[in-house]
């Protein structure tokens, strides 16, 4: 049962990481990295690292 829960958690994390609403870094053809952390309207995208920190601390990612 614990393994199933871990698989579900991992799939959820991968889904979040691949979602367009999550901040990312893009590698340009010249070798430079560009951070994409705002959506088209300028609102911040989800930060997966912050989410993981909050989960580790035992708080829900939506708590502020």
């Amino acid at each position: 049962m614990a393994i199933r829960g871990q698989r579900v958690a991992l799939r959820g994390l991968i889904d979040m990481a691949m979602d367009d609403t999550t901040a990312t870094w893009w590698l340009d053809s010249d070798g430079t990295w560009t951070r994409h952390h705002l959506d088209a309207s300028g609102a911040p995208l989800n930060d997966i690292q912050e989410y993981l920190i909050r989960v580790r601390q035992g708080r829900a990612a939506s708590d502020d």
Side-chain angles (χ1 to χ4, degrees):
M1 189 68 165
I3 291 176
R4 177 167 165 60
Q6 291 169 345
R7 286 180 183 157
V8 169
L10 180 57
R11 285 187 185 128
L13 186 59
I14 292 169
D15 287 345
M16 181 181 184
M18 301 304 293
D19 193 284
D20 289 339
T21 63
T22 299
T24 57
W25 286 87
W26 295 0
L27 179 60
D28 295 326
S29 61
D30 65 359
T32 60
W33 289 92
T34 304
R35 182 177 179 213
H36 292 269
H37 63 286
L38 302 173
D39 68 12
S41 67
L45 297 171
N46 296 321
D47 184 329
I48 198 165
Q49 187 171 11
E50 179 64 28
Y51 168 79
L52 291 170
I53 291 168
R54 288 181 182 209
V55 167
R56 182 70 179 143
Q57 292 174 337
R59 296 194 312 251
S62 62
D63 290 349
D64 284 330

